[in-house]
Amino acid sequence: MQNILSYVLFSPLVGIVLLFFINKEKQIWIKAIGIATSVVTFALSLLVYFAFDAANTQLQFVEQLPWISGLDISYFVGVDGFSILLVVLTTFLTPLALIASWESITDRLKEYVVFMLLLEVGMLGVFLAFDLFLFYVFWEAMLIPMYFIIGIWGGKDKIYAAVKFFIYTMAGSLLMLIAILWLGYYASTLPGGYFTTNLQKLYAIAPSIPMNIQIWMFLAFALSFAIKVPLFPFHTWLPDAHVQAPTAGSVILAGVLLKMGTYGLIRFCLPLFPQASFQFTPLMAVLSVIGIIYGALVAMVQTDIKKLVAYSSVSHMGFIVLGIFSMTEEGMQGAIIQMVNHGLSTGALFLLVGMIYDRRHTREISNFGGLARTVPIFSTIFMIVTFSSIGLPGLNGFVGEFLILLGSFGSQFLNSPVYTAFAATGVVFSAVYMLWMCQRVFFGKVTHAENESLIDLGKREIGLLLPVLLFIVWIGVYPSTFMRQTAPQSKKIVIQMQNAKSGVTQMPGLSAK
């Protein structure tokens, strides 16, 4: 298993190199190479998953090579309980997104597959990097392929959506870069210190950071992550990006990119700036609850199915942030598993919306009706995923939402059940807007003649959705299969936050280079 993380991280680049030798007219070969490369990456990530020791809360499969030695910047990658599921989720959704593009993307296909594989490298790098400078490189590199995927293969307002996505994310990222540079400089001011971006070394000196500085550092990191989540009121780029992106872009955007924001809150904001995190916990909880309710209410009045699903993401991601800042084992566990759940359920919804759009070339709810009779397989799968999204017991969404509500209710950091009470209304609202949409689309009379002649899902499309349905049911029925990978790490950070709250900290210091 030596260097296995590098194989996972850079294996998509092998596919990109192979594509350079393929004529752009040979579309079957281009598709096959793209899908095969992403499947190999998924297989390699499974090797990491099955070899991962959940009981060990230390970094595993660590690889560290000097990069900029004078500044103690290195190629430093590893995996732990917070990142293992997100790595597998990324490698799982990427081949599905490419398969979903089999018929819908024909123009400039070679470039499209290259950008999708580059995007996978960037996303994996974010979850594997344990050097802040390396993390920032992957964080920014990921923006470029997604910008082009939206801007070239998106809808009629694709340029507007792509530019808005890029500007929002870049603005927050620049603040994070300033904070990273300051952290490295602060390390150099300590006795025997030196500039470093090594995350584990920065964890060690975090308790010594003055409170006034912690506040500014927390804000710089949290703003960047809040935009990516997106947390209210930084969400306005998301509906445009989702609606204009091609189906595969929407799947990756909802399934993985949004999770980079919540992952960043857990990985950086809480352990690096614990005292500032305590101070901003009420604000983050309030914004989370507003996002839950606001996203649900706005979704309720949408006439476009894809835009409805996009606003539902704002609501669901609010739950995850609330779970993180509950700082309880249940809330943290719920947040992590809900990241996976949202990636599966919302990713599947975007796949299904793309499939019906390819047949009807419209996403307006009013243009549908009675689809349950004309396309019964599509309708059945859509309803199962809908139940998953609204948190029906027995499916994956229920597990995450229940744990988040349980953790936030008993949190000594939130110290009020009011957050939980208001957040719970989001569960009710999600049932309202999703079931109301399904009632208008799938039941009642067939309102348009075009719906009578719709073709049901084919074998490729069913095969594409079945793995997602498998995990939706699996996590809902037996979640411990996956949650045991994250439980020790969740417990560890909760204990760290409790110790920080009570003033129990280790003496700050830097290890030798």
Side-chain angles (χ1 to χ4, degrees):
M1 299 294 287
Q2 189 176 5
N3 301 325
I4 184 64
L5 292 187
S6 290
Y7 295 144
V8 173
L9 178 56
F10 296 116
S11 57
L13 296 182
V14 177
I16 293 174
V17 172
L18 292 176
L19 287 171
F20 286 147
F21 297 96
I22 303 296
N23 190 294
K24 65 180 181 180
E25 303 300 327
K26 296 182 178 180
Q27 295 205 350
I28 296 295
W29 276 97
I30 292 171
K31 294 173 183 176
I33 289 174
I35 293 170
T37 303
S38 60
V39 169
V40 168
T41 305
F42 175 56
L44 290 171
S45 72
L46 287 181
L47 291 178
V48 176
Y49 178 82
F50 288 117
F52 182 79
D53 180 8
N56 181 5
T57 59
Q58 301 302 312
L59 273 184
Q60 300 179 44
F61 311 107
V62 172
E63 300 173 35
Q64 190 167 10
L65 295 171
W67 186 8
I68 307 175
S69 300
L71 297 177
D72 195 31
I73 295 174
S74 61
Y75 169 76
F76 181 13
V77 294
V79 70
D80 65 4
F82 288 144
S83 54
I84 183 66
L85 292 183
L86 295 174
V87 168
V88 176
L89 177 68
T90 303
T91 60
F92 174 70
L93 288 179
T94 302
L96 296 185
L98 285 169
I99 295 170
S101 310
W102 188 270
E103 294 179 351
S104 58
I105 302 295
T106 55
D107 181 43
R108 304 177 74 172
L109 177 66
K110 185 174 178 178
E111 292 90 335
Y112 174 81
V113 175
V114 167
F115 283 131
M116 286 293 291
L117 294 177
L118 278 175
L119 181 60
E120 184 175 24
V121 174
M123 294 185 298
L124 288 171
V126 165
F127 297 132
L128 295 175
F130 279 82
D131 181 283
L132 274 175
F133 187 77
L134 181 67
F135 169 84
Y136 184 79
V137 169
F138 283 120
W139 180 274
E140 292 295 88
M142 170 277 309
L143 297 180
I144 299 170
M146 180 53 78
Y147 170 82
F148 284 110
I149 288 169
I150 298 172
I152 296 176
W153 294 277
K156 62 178 181 179
D157 296 324
K158 56 191 178 184
I159 301 300
Y160 168 78
V163 170
K164 191 174 183 180
F165 160 76
F166 194 87
I167 290 175
Y168 265 71
T169 338
M170 178 65 78
S173 300
L174 290 176
L175 291 175
M176 181 170 64
L177 176 61
I178 294 172
I180 290 171
L181 294 175
W182 188 93
L183 282 172
Y185 166 77
Y186 177 76
S188 69
T189 64
L190 297 175
Y194 49 87
F195 186 98
T196 182
T197 54
N198 183 303
L199 187 56
Q200 290 189 317
K201 294 178 181 179
L202 293 175
Y203 283 159
I205 68 171
S208 69
I209 301 176
M211 182 59 180
N212 61 326
I213 300 298
Q214 272 201 40
I215 289 175
W216 288 108
M217 294 297 100
F218 176 91
L219 288 173
F221 274 89
L223 179 62
S224 182
F225 299 142
I227 291 171
K228 184 72 75 179
V229 169
L231 189 65
F232 178 91
F234 309 106
H235 65 282
T236 56
W237 65 269
L238 180 67
D240 292 313
H242 267 318
V243 171
Q244 298 304 320
T247 297
S250 294
V251 171
I252 297 298
L253 191 59
V256 183
L257 261 66
L258 305 189
K259 312 308 177 301
M260 290 163 54
T262 47
Y263 170 80
L265 292 172
I266 298 175
R267 176 68 71 201
F268 303 104
C269 287
L270 297 189
L272 283 175
F273 319 113
Q275 300 302 327
S277 297
F278 302 143
Q279 183 163 331
F280 284 101
T281 289
L283 175 62
M284 297 300 287
V286 167
L287 293 180
S288 301
V289 171
I290 292 174
I292 291 169
I293 298 173
Y294 170 84
L297 292 177
V298 176
M300 207 178 294
V301 298
Q302 295 306 310
T303 60
D304 182 304
I305 303 176
K306 197 173 187 182
K307 207 162 191 177
L308 183 150
V309 177
Y311 275 106
S312 78
S313 285
V314 177
S315 183
H316 289 304
M317 295 304 293
F319 273 104
I320 296 173
V321 176
L322 181 64
I324 292 170
F325 280 89
S326 72
M327 300 184 204
T328 60
E329 288 185 51
E330 298 89 352
M332 198 68 69
Q333 278 277 76
I336 297 169
I337 199 66
Q338 193 64 5
M339 292 186 213
V340 178
N341 294 339
H342 179 265
L344 295 171
S345 301
T346 306
L349 285 173
F350 280 121
L351 285 174
L352 289 159
V353 171
M355 290 172 185
I356 199 65
Y357 180 79
D358 289 340
R359 288 161 168 77
R360 282 285 278 111
H361 302 291
T362 179
R363 294 187 298 261
E364 288 295 317
I365 295 174
S366 59
N367 289 332
F368 296 101
L371 294 191
R373 285 177 295 186
T374 57
V375 282
I377 299 175
F378 173 85
S379 304
T380 300
I381 295 176
F382 200 107
M383 289 302 300
I384 293 172
V385 178
T386 294
F387 291 143
S388 162
S389 180
I390 65 179
L392 184 74
L395 298 176
N396 61 340
F398 173 77
V399 176
E401 289 181 354
F402 175 78
L403 287 172
I404 288 169
L405 292 175
L406 180 64
S408 62
F409 184 81
S411 170
Q412 62 173 313
F413 298 95
L414 295 178
N415 199 30
S416 174
V418 173
Y419 300 112
T420 309
F422 278 104
T425 63
V427 179
V428 179
F429 290 143
S430 70
V432 172
Y433 64 75
M434 289 300 294
L435 294 179
W436 189 24
M437 179 268 290
C438 288
Q439 187 271 329
R440 289 178 287 170
V441 171
F442 298 109
F443 303 102
K445 295 181 180 180
V446 179
T447 54
H448 291 72
E450 294 93 330
N451 297 331
E452 294 279 9
S453 57
L454 287 179
I455 301 172
D456 211 345
L457 298 185
K459 293 180 180 178
R460 177 183 62 85
E461 293 167 320
I462 295 173
L464 177 65
L465 292 165
L466 280 180
V468 183
L469 293 178
L470 170 65
F471 286 109
I472 283 175
V473 176
W474 190 346
I475 295 174
V477 173
Y478 195 64
S480 63
T481 307
F482 306 95
M483 292 178 63
R484 62 170 169 248
Q485 306 287 350
T486 63
Q489 199 73 33
S490 298
K491 183 177 182 179
K492 179 181 178 180
I493 194 170
V494 168
I495 292 173
Q496 287 176 345
M497 299 307 291
Q498 290 173 343
N499 289 340
K501 185 74 171 176
S502 60
V504 179
T505 59
Q506 295 179 343
M507 291 299 293
L510 277 177
S511 59
K513 283 189 182 181

